Amino acid sequence: MTEAVEAVEAGAGEVSWAQEVEAVTGFWRGLGLPGLLDVHTHFLPDNIQRRVWAQFDEAGPKIGRPWPIRYRGSVEERVEQLRELGVRRFSTLPYAHRPGIADYLNDWAAQFKQQVPESVWSATFYPEPEAGAYVSAGIEAGVEIFKVHVQVGEFDLDDPLLDPVWGLLAEAGTPVVVHAGHAPVGNDFTGPAPMARVLAAHPRLRLVVAHLGAPDYLDFLALAERYDRVHLDTTMVFTDFWPTTYPDELLVRLADRGDRILLGTDFPTIPYPYSHQLEGLARLDLGDDWLRAVCWHNAAALLGAPA
């Protein structure tokens, strides 16, 4: 058993903050990494963050189960927690849930980037007539990653209003994290088929499939096997909390596409220690080189590593 695996297993379960820091930093140091790059974390304006957390507290219809959130500190406290864990770059990933809110979220995320320079400058969009203009402006300004959430926003990825947006993003090569899987609660807009249609029209898109596409892992992984700019993030998969069944061939195919898998966690909206996500990845037993690629090198190639 490697030093990295031992570190995160030692930090599993109910642990103090000091133990959690020790487990996470021991994990990446055991792999010989300078830290972690997490492509799937969330920071939102306080008023929206409170509403999002309320939905989780109530186990609302899009949550589907009790979901006790572990990290509820202020924005400043949560940033400091990631820094203490050694997460060198992390996203904000705002997601527009209705028309007319993307600009507000994007302005807030731009201010966050100014205040937290190591963060990944994030933005969002929604199928609305203005989307092409504000996405173009964001790309020109330097936005590093976009996020859309079709389960929450309830829209089709191939909505005609988004066609110019996908064209802009394909040309620019700016990554887009897309929550398109049915988990935790599917609807008429989730699943691999809409993303497949978008990629057929815009094959150069650099998409990141959130949550490894759960529960349709193989269908979303097939898109990464077909399109060389498609990635998948690990957010919440292979943890004890995620209620899912993993196909027998999944690990073999994940090993084969080890250069397309990115560390994601959903911090702060997770019901377990940050170290448990790392434990879930380590116990797949895909090797230290695979873990190094997933936890650092792949995201560094996609987004750039910090100095």
Side-chain angles (χ1 to χ4, degrees), residues 190-248:
T190 54
M195 182 179 287
R197 293 194 296 267
V198 169
L199 284 165
H202 303 280
R204 298 298 293 158
L205 274 170
R206 187 167 274 126
L207 300 184
V208 179
V209 180
H211 303 282
L212 216 67
D216 296 311
Y217 305 104
L218 298 185
D219 290 334
F220 281 103
L221 190 53
L223 296 177
E225 293 165 342
R226 181 173 181 181
Y227 298 99
D228 61 10
R229 286 185 161 192
V230 173
H231 297 68
L232 304 98
D233 77 39
T234 67
T235 304
M236 298 196 76
V237 294
F238 308 117
T239 67
D240 296 337
F241 181 79
W242 201 248
T244 188
T245 300
Y246 299 108
D248 292 338

Coordinates of all heavy atoms in Angstrom, one line a residue, residues 190-248:
T190 N -31.6 15.6 -18.6 CA -30.3 14.9 -18.3 C -30.1 13.7 -19.1 O -31.0 13.2 -19.8 CB -30.3 14.5 -16.8 OG1 -31.5 13.8 -16.5 CG2 -30.3 15.8 -15.9
G191 N -28.9 13.2 -19.1 CA -28.5 12.0 -19.9 C -27.5 12.3 -20.9 O -27.3 13.5 -21.3
P192 N -26.9 11.3 -21.5 CA -25.8 11.5 -22.5 C -26.3 12.0 -23.9 O -25.5 12.5 -24.6 CB -25.1 10.1 -22.6 CG -26.2 9.2 -22.2 CD -27.1 9.9 -21.2
A193 N -27.5 11.7 -24.3 CA -27.9 12.0 -25.6 C -27.8 13.5 -26.0 O -27.3 13.8 -27.1 CB -29.4 11.5 -25.9
P194 N -28.3 14.4 -25.2 CA -28.1 15.8 -25.6 C -26.7 16.3 -25.8 O -26.3 17.0 -26.7 CB -28.8 16.6 -24.5 CG -29.8 15.6 -23.9 CD -29.1 14.3 -24.0
M195 N -25.8 15.8 -24.9 CA -24.3 16.1 -25.1 C -23.8 15.5 -26.3 O -23.0 16.1 -27.0 CB -23.5 15.6 -23.8 CG -22.1 16.0 -23.9 SD -21.1 15.5 -22.5 CE -21.7 16.7 -21.3
A196 N -24.2 14.3 -26.7 CA -23.7 13.6 -27.9 C -24.1 14.5 -29.1 O -23.4 14.6 -30.1 CB -24.3 12.2 -28.0
R197 N -25.3 15.0 -29.1 CA -25.8 15.9 -30.2 C -25.0 17.1 -30.3 O -24.6 17.6 -31.4 CB -27.3 16.2 -30.1 CG -28.2 15.0 -30.2 CD -29.6 15.4 -30.4 NE -30.2 16.1 -29.2 CZ -30.8 15.5 -28.2 NH1 -31.0 14.1 -28.2 NH2 -31.4 16.2 -27.2
V198 N -24.7 17.7 -29.2 CA -23.9 19.0 -29.2 C -22.5 18.7 -29.7 O -21.9 19.4 -30.5 CB -23.8 19.6 -27.8 CG1 -22.7 20.7 -27.7 CG2 -25.2 20.1 -27.4
L199 N -21.9 17.6 -29.3 CA -20.5 17.2 -29.7 C -20.5 16.9 -31.2 O -19.5 17.1 -31.9 CB -20.0 16.1 -28.9 CG -19.5 16.5 -27.5 CD1 -19.3 15.3 -26.6 CD2 -18.2 17.3 -27.6
A200 N -21.6 16.3 -31.7 CA -21.6 16.0 -33.1 C -21.6 17.2 -34.0 O -21.0 17.3 -35.0 CB -22.9 15.1 -33.4
A201 N -22.2 18.3 -33.4 CA -22.2 19.6 -34.1 C -21.0 20.4 -33.9 O -20.6 21.2 -34.7 CB -23.5 20.4 -33.7
H202 N -20.3 20.2 -32.7 CA -19.2 21.0 -32.3 C -18.1 20.0 -31.7 O -17.8 20.0 -30.5 CB -19.5 22.1 -31.3 CG -20.6 23.0 -31.8 ND1 -20.4 24.1 -32.6 CD2 -21.9 23.0 -31.5 CE1 -21.5 24.7 -32.8 NE2 -22.5 24.1 -32.2
P203 N -17.5 19.2 -32.6 CA -16.6 18.2 -32.1 C -15.3 18.7 -31.4 O -14.6 17.9 -30.7 CB -16.2 17.4 -33.3 CG -16.5 18.3 -34.5 CD -17.6 19.2 -34.0
R204 N -15.0 20.0 -31.5 CA -13.8 20.5 -30.9 C -14.1 21.1 -29.5 O -13.2 21.7 -28.9 CB -13.2 21.6 -31.8 CG -12.7 21.1 -33.1 CD -11.6 20.0 -33.0 NE -10.4 20.5 -32.4 CZ -9.4 19.8 -31.8 NH1 -9.6 18.5 -31.6 NH2 -8.3 20.4 -31.4
L205 N -15.3 21.0 -29.0 CA -15.6 21.4 -27.7 C -14.8 20.7 -26.6 O -14.5 19.5 -26.7 CB -17.1 21.2 -27.4 CG -18.1 22.3 -27.8 CD1 -19.5 21.8 -27.6 CD2 -17.8 23.6 -27.1
R206 N -14.3 21.5 -25.6 CA -13.6 21.0 -24.5 C -14.5 20.9 -23.3 O -14.6 21.8 -22.5 CB -12.4 21.9 -24.2 CG -11.4 21.3 -23.2 CD -10.1 22.0 -23.1 NE -9.2 21.5 -24.1 CZ -8.5 22.2 -25.0 NH1 -8.8 23.5 -25.1 NH2 -7.7 21.7 -25.9
L207 N -15.2 19.8 -23.2 CA -16.2 19.6 -22.2 C -15.7 18.7 -21.1 O -14.9 17.8 -21.3 CB -17.5 18.9 -22.8 CG -18.2 19.6 -23.9 CD1 -19.5 18.8 -24.3 CD2 -18.6 21.0 -23.5
V208 N -16.1 19.0 -19.8 CA -15.8 18.2 -18.7 C -17.1 17.7 -18.1 O -17.9 18.4 -17.7 CB -15.0 19.0 -17.6 CG1 -14.7 18.2 -16.4 CG2 -13.8 19.7 -18.2
V209 N -17.3 16.4 -18.2 CA -18.5 15.7 -17.7 C -18.4 15.6 -16.2 O -17.6 14.9 -15.6 CB -18.7 14.3 -18.3 CG1 -19.9 13.7 -17.8 CG2 -18.6 14.4 -19.8
A210 N -19.3 16.3 -15.5 CA -19.3 16.3 -14.0 C -19.8 15.0 -13.5 O -20.6 14.3 -14.1 CB -20.2 17.4 -13.5
H211 N -19.2 14.6 -12.4 CA -19.6 13.4 -11.6 C -19.4 12.1 -12.5 O -20.1 11.1 -12.3 CB -21.1 13.5 -11.2 CG -21.4 14.6 -10.3 ND1 -21.1 14.7 -9.0 CD2 -22.0 15.8 -10.6 CE1 -21.5 15.8 -8.5 NE2 -22.0 16.6 -9.4
L212 N -18.5 12.2 -13.4 CA -18.2 11.1 -14.3 C -19.5 10.6 -15.1 O -19.5 9.5 -15.6 CB -17.6 9.9 -13.5 CG -16.6 9.0 -14.2 CD1 -15.3 9.9 -14.4 CD2 -16.2 7.8 -13.3
G213 N -20.5 11.5 -15.1 CA -21.7 11.2 -15.9 C -22.6 10.3 -15.1 O -23.6 9.8 -15.7
A214 N -22.5 10.1 -13.8 CA -23.3 9.2 -13.0 C -24.8 9.4 -13.3 O -25.3 10.5 -13.4 CB -23.0 9.4 -11.6
P215 N -25.5 8.2 -13.5 CA -25.0 6.8 -13.4 C -24.7 6.2 -14.8 O -24.3 5.1 -14.8 CB -26.2 6.1 -12.8 CG -27.4 6.9 -13.4 CD -26.9 8.3 -13.5
D216 N -24.7 7.1 -15.8 CA -24.4 6.5 -17.2 C -22.9 6.7 -17.5 O -22.5 7.3 -18.5 CB -25.3 7.3 -18.2 CG -26.7 7.1 -18.0 OD1 -27.1 5.9 -17.8 OD2 -27.5 8.0 -17.9
Y217 N -22.1 6.1 -16.7 CA -20.7 6.2 -16.8 C -20.1 5.8 -18.1 O -19.3 6.5 -18.8 CB -20.0 5.4 -15.7 CG -20.4 5.7 -14.3 CD1 -21.3 4.8 -13.6 CD2 -20.0 6.8 -13.6 CE1 -21.7 5.0 -12.3 CE2 -20.5 7.1 -12.3 CZ -21.3 6.2 -11.7 OH -21.7 6.5 -10.4
L218 N -20.5 4.7 -18.6 CA -19.9 4.1 -19.8 C -20.4 5.0 -21.1 O -19.6 5.2 -22.0 CB -20.3 2.7 -20.0 CG -19.8 1.7 -18.9 CD1 -20.2 0.3 -19.3 CD2 -18.3 1.9 -18.7
D219 N -21.6 5.4 -21.1 CA -22.1 6.3 -22.2 C -21.3 7.6 -22.3 O -20.9 8.0 -23.4 CB -23.6 6.5 -22.1 CG -24.4 5.3 -22.3 OD1 -23.9 4.4 -23.0 OD2 -25.5 5.2 -21.8
F220 N -21.1 8.2 -21.1 CA -20.3 9.5 -21.1 C -18.8 9.2 -21.4 O -18.2 10.0 -22.1 CB -20.5 10.2 -19.8 CG -21.8 11.0 -19.7 CD1 -22.9 10.5 -19.0 CD2 -22.0 12.2 -20.4 CE1 -24.1 11.2 -18.9 CE2 -23.2 12.9 -20.3 CZ -24.3 12.4 -19.6
L221 N -18.3 8.1 -20.9 CA -16.9 7.8 -21.1 C -16.7 7.5 -22.6 O -15.7 7.8 -23.2 CB -16.5 6.6 -20.3 CG -15.0 6.2 -20.2 CD1 -14.2 7.4 -19.8 CD2 -14.8 5.0 -19.3
A222 N -17.7 7.0 -23.3 CA -17.6 6.7 -24.7 C -17.4 8.0 -25.5 O -16.8 8.0 -26.5 CB -18.8 6.0 -25.2
L223 N -18.0 9.1 -25.0 CA -17.8 10.4 -25.6 C -16.4 10.9 -25.5 O -15.8 11.5 -26.5 CB -18.8 11.4 -25.0 CG -20.3 11.2 -25.2 CD1 -21.1 12.2 -24.5 CD2 -20.6 11.1 -26.7
A224 N -15.7 10.6 -24.4 CA -14.3 10.9 -24.2 C -13.5 10.0 -25.1 O -12.4 10.5 -25.6 CB -13.9 10.8 -22.8
E225 N -13.9 8.8 -25.4 CA -13.1 7.9 -26.3 C -13.3 8.4 -27.7 O -12.4 8.1 -28.5 CB -13.6 6.5 -26.0 CG -13.3 6.0 -24.7 CD -14.0 4.7 -24.3 OE1 -15.1 4.4 -24.9 OE2 -13.6 4.0 -23.4
R226 N -14.4 9.0 -28.0 CA -14.6 9.4 -29.4 C -14.1 10.9 -29.7 O -13.6 11.1 -30.8 CB -16.1 9.4 -29.7 CG -16.5 9.8 -31.1 CD -18.0 9.6 -31.4 NE -18.3 10.0 -32.8 CZ -19.5 9.9 -33.3 NH1 -20.5 9.5 -32.5 NH2 -19.7 10.3 -34.5
Y227 N -14.2 11.8 -28.7 CA -13.8 13.2 -28.9 C -12.6 13.5 -28.0 O -12.7 13.3 -26.8 CB -15.0 14.1 -28.6 CG -16.2 13.9 -29.5 CD1 -17.3 13.1 -29.0 CD2 -16.2 14.4 -30.7 CE1 -18.4 12.9 -29.8 CE2 -17.4 14.2 -31.6 CZ -18.4 13.5 -31.1 OH -19.5 13.3 -31.9
D228 N -11.5 13.9 -28.6 CA -10.3 14.0 -27.9 C -10.2 15.2 -27.0 O -9.2 15.4 -26.3 CB -9.1 14.0 -28.9 CG -9.1 15.2 -29.8 OD1 -9.9 16.1 -29.7 OD2 -8.2 15.1 -30.8
R229 N -11.2 16.1 -26.9 CA -11.2 17.2 -26.0 C -12.2 17.0 -24.8 O -12.4 17.9 -24.0 CB -11.5 18.5 -26.7 CG -10.4 19.0 -27.5 CD -10.7 20.4 -28.1 NE -9.5 21.1 -28.5 CZ -9.5 22.4 -28.9 NH1 -10.7 23.1 -28.8 NH2 -8.4 23.0 -29.2
V230 N -12.8 15.8 -24.7 CA -13.8 15.6 -23.7 C -13.1 14.9 -22.5 O -12.3 14.0 -22.6 CB -14.9 14.7 -24.2 CG1 -15.9 14.3 -23.0 CG2 -15.8 15.4 -25.2
H231 N -13.4 15.5 -21.3 CA -12.8 15.0 -20.0 C -14.0 14.6 -19.1 O -15.1 15.0 -19.4 CB -12.0 16.1 -19.4 CG -10.7 16.5 -20.1 ND1 -10.8 17.2 -21.3 CD2 -9.4 16.3 -19.9 CE1 -9.6 17.4 -21.8 NE2 -8.7 16.9 -20.9
L232 N -13.6 14.0 -18.0 CA -14.6 13.7 -17.0 C -14.0 14.0 -15.6 O -12.8 13.8 -15.4 CB -15.1 12.2 -17.0 CG -15.6 11.7 -18.4 CD1 -14.5 11.0 -19.2 CD2 -16.8 10.7 -18.1
D233 N -14.9 14.5 -14.7 CA -14.3 14.7 -13.4 C -14.9 13.7 -12.4 O -15.9 13.1 -12.6 CB -14.5 16.2 -12.9 CG -16.0 16.6 -12.4 OD1 -16.6 15.7 -11.8 OD2 -16.4 17.7 -12.7
T234 N -14.2 13.6 -11.3 CA -14.4 12.5 -10.3 C -15.4 12.8 -9.2 O -15.7 12.1 -8.3 CB -13.1 12.1 -9.6 OG1 -12.7 13.2 -8.8 CG2 -12.1 11.7 -10.6
T235 N -16.1 14.0 -9.3 CA -16.8 14.6 -8.2 C -17.8 13.6 -7.6 O -18.8 13.1 -8.3 CB -17.6 15.8 -8.7 OG1 -16.7 16.7 -9.2 CG2 -18.4 16.5 -7.6
M236 N -17.6 13.2 -6.4 CA -18.4 12.4 -5.5 C -18.5 10.9 -5.9 O -19.0 10.1 -5.1 CB -19.9 12.9 -5.4 CG -19.9 14.3 -4.8 SD -21.6 14.8 -4.3 CE -21.7 13.9 -2.8
V237 N -17.9 10.5 -7.1 CA -18.0 9.1 -7.4 C -16.9 8.4 -6.6 O -15.9 8.9 -6.2 CB -17.8 8.9 -8.9 CG1 -19.0 9.4 -9.7 CG2 -16.5 9.5 -9.5
F238 N -17.1 7.1 -6.4 CA -16.3 6.2 -5.7 C -16.2 6.6 -4.2 O -15.3 6.1 -3.5 CB -14.9 6.1 -6.3 CG -14.9 5.8 -7.7 CD1 -14.4 6.7 -8.7 CD2 -15.4 4.6 -8.2 CE1 -14.4 6.4 -10.0 CE2 -15.4 4.3 -9.6 CZ -14.9 5.2 -10.5
T239 N -17.1 7.4 -3.7 CA -17.3 7.6 -2.3 C -18.4 6.7 -1.7 O -19.2 6.2 -2.5 CB -17.7 9.1 -2.0 OG1 -19.0 9.4 -2.5 CG2 -16.7 10.1 -2.7
D240 N -18.4 6.6 -0.4 CA -19.4 5.7 0.2 C -20.8 6.4 0.2 O -21.8 5.7 0.4 CB -19.0 5.4 1.7 CG -17.7 4.6 1.7 OD1 -17.4 3.9 0.8 OD2 -17.0 4.7 2.8
F241 N -20.8 7.7 0.0 CA -22.1 8.4 0.0 C -22.9 8.2 -1.3 O -24.1 8.3 -1.3 CB -21.9 9.9 0.2 CG -23.1 10.7 0.3 CD1 -23.9 10.8 1.5 CD2 -23.5 11.5 -0.8 CE1 -25.0 11.5 1.5 CE2 -24.6 12.3 -0.7 CZ -25.4 12.3 0.4
W242 N -22.2 8.1 -2.4 CA -22.9 8.1 -3.7 C -23.6 6.8 -4.0 O -22.9 5.7 -4.2 CB -21.8 8.3 -4.8 CG -22.3 8.9 -6.1 CD1 -22.3 8.3 -7.3 CD2 -22.8 10.2 -6.4 NE1 -22.7 9.1 -8.3 CE2 -23.1 10.3 -7.7 CE3 -23.0 11.3 -5.6 CZ2 -23.6 11.4 -8.3 CZ3 -23.5 12.5 -6.1 CH2 -23.8 12.5 -7.5
P243 N -24.9 6.8 -4.1 CA -25.7 5.5 -4.3 C -25.7 5.1 -5.7 O -26.5 5.6 -6.5 CB -27.1 5.9 -3.8 CG -27.2 7.3 -4.0 CD -25.8 7.9 -4.0
T244 N -24.8 4.2 -6.2 CA -24.7 3.9 -7.6 C -24.1 2.5 -7.7 O -23.5 2.0 -6.8 CB -23.9 5.0 -8.3 OG1 -23.9 4.7 -9.7 CG2 -22.4 4.9 -7.9
T245 N -24.3 2.0 -8.9 CA -23.6 0.7 -9.3 C -22.6 1.0 -10.4 O -23.0 1.7 -11.4 CB -24.7 -0.3 -9.8 OG1 -25.6 -0.5 -8.7 CG2 -24.0 -1.6 -10.2
Y246 N -21.4 0.5 -10.2 CA -20.4 0.7 -11.2 C -20.2 -0.5 -12.1 O -20.1 -1.6 -11.7 CB -19.0 1.0 -10.5 CG -19.0 2.2 -9.6 CD1 -19.0 2.0 -8.2 CD2 -19.1 3.5 -10.1 CE1 -19.1 3.2 -7.4 CE2 -19.1 4.6 -9.3 CZ -19.1 4.4 -7.9 OH -19.2 5.5 -7.1
P247 N -20.3 -0.2 -13.5 CA -20.1 -1.3 -14.4 C -18.8 -2.0 -14.3 O -17.8 -1.4 -13.9 CB -20.3 -0.6 -15.8 CG -20.9 0.7 -15.5 CD -20.5 1.1 -14.1
D248 N -18.8 -3.3 -14.6 CA -17.6 -4.1 -14.4 C -16.4 -3.6 -15.2 O -15.3 -3.6 -14.8 CB -17.8 -5.6 -14.8 CG -18.8 -6.3 -13.8 OD1 -18.9 -5.8 -12.7 OD2 -19.4 -7.3 -14.2

